[in-house]
Amino acid sequence: GDSLLVANVVEKGARTRRVYLPEGTDFYDYYTRAAYTGGQVLEIPVTLSDIPLFIPSGSLIPMAGNKLDNLATQQATSITLLCTSDKGCQFTLYEDDGATMEYEKGNYLKTHICLSPGEKTALDFKQEGCYPTAVETMYVDMIHREKSPYWVSVDGSQVPHFLHRRKFEEAECGWYYSQRLKSVQIKYKNPKKDYQVLVSFEQFDLI
């Protein structure tokens, strides 16, 4: 939708793809997180198998973290939340059983997700409905090119900071700052209630 700019390669033998980034917002390359100012045309090296993707600032994109082959029989048990931290944004994640009319009786779940930027960037999760979610784990991928956070908390408790990627991947809960992607990576068990993820980018005077 509005949170992705897709520039498919459709010409056989194409070696580059011209992409116009609309004025009025900044963009990030989906794969590298390189930043670009809107209002310019990029000439991107490509092959026919490439799909250039760009994320506008102020985007919040939920994706299934587990592989889904059949939406009629499978549910997302993990959510990856890709977001930028430079503008406020929001998204409503909807869940029901996908098969019956029980949602008319309130048997659904809307998770309203709102990002508020700042020195303490907040992700607020508020639930509406009574459907028991299948989502067990959450993974936040927050683009922030300026610097690593000072600390991260989930539901009021600070989560462990990992300096090494491998240790972060082995842990069930914690955060890691990717220097390659300039992105804060946060993983935790889904609290299955209203809660907040708080990321501190505060400035501290060390003198």
Side-chain angles (χ1 to χ4, degrees):
D2 293 341
S3 295
L4 279 176
L5 189 157
V6 185
N8 287 319
V9 180
V10 296
E11 295 180 8
K12 184 177 181 180
R15 295 186 178 182
T16 62
R17 174 69 156 90
R18 289 174 61 84
V19 181
Y20 172 69
L21 302 179
E23 291 186 48
T25 190
D26 294 329
F27 290 83
Y28 302 92
D29 184 285
Y30 179 89
Y31 306 104
T32 68
R33 308 298 164 77
Y36 299 95
T37 302
Q40 64 172 312
V41 176
L42 303 180
E43 193 85 21
I44 306 170
V46 295
T47 68
L48 192 58
S49 61
D50 289 324
I51 304 177
L53 290 173
F54 295 89
I55 307 164
S57 61
S59 292
L60 198 159
I61 309 169
M63 301 175 286
N66 56 300
K67 184 178 180 181
L68 297 176
D69 298 311
N70 188 332
L71 293 177
T73 59
Q74 296 173 304
Q75 291 181 302
T77 57
S78 175
I79 292 292
T80 294
L81 199 60
L82 174 58
C83 56
T84 66
S85 59
D86 49 2
K87 287 184 181 179
C89 49
Q90 56 188 353
F91 190 93
T92 298
L93 187 65
Y94 180 85
E95 298 173 77
D96 63 21
D97 62 20
T100 71
M101 304 295 286
E102 284 295 307
Y103 68 89
E104 294 183 345
K105 303 176 183 178
N107 197 14
Y108 62 85
L109 184 66
K110 291 182 180 179
T111 303
H112 303 286
I113 309 169
C114 179
L115 184 144
S116 303
E119 283 196 331
K120 289 184 179 179
T121 296
L123 269 171
D124 289 290
F125 297 77
K126 296 186 181 297
Q127 296 188 342
E128 173 191 341
C130 60
Y131 181 73
T133 179
V135 177
E136 297 294 334
T137 58
M138 298 290 297
Y139 191 109
V140 176
D141 184 349
M142 181 183 292
I143 300 171
H144 191 275
R145 297 189 57 82
E146 287 74 20
K147 63 177 183 176
S148 171
Y150 183 62
W151 51 262
V152 174
S153 69
V154 176
D155 195 25
S157 299
Q158 289 193 24
V159 297
H161 176 206
F162 294 92
L163 295 174
H164 301 286
R165 180 80 194 187
R166 180 180 58 81
K167 291 185 177 180
F168 169 71
E169 291 174 348
E170 292 172 350
E172 288 189 351
C173 177
W175 70 273
Y176 167 82
Y177 184 73
S178 171
Q179 291 290 347
R180 179 177 65 87
L181 295 177
K182 303 298 183 184
S183 173
V184 188
Q185 318 276 302
I186 311 164
K187 58 196 289 191
Y188 56 94
K189 293 288 186 182
N190 184 10
K192 299 186 178 183
K193 62 176 182 177
D194 293 353
Y195 69 98
Q196 182 183 73
V197 174
L198 201 58
V199 184
S200 170
F201 296 110
E202 295 169 279
Q203 300 284 348
F204 289 95
D205 188 352
L206 299 179
I207 298 177

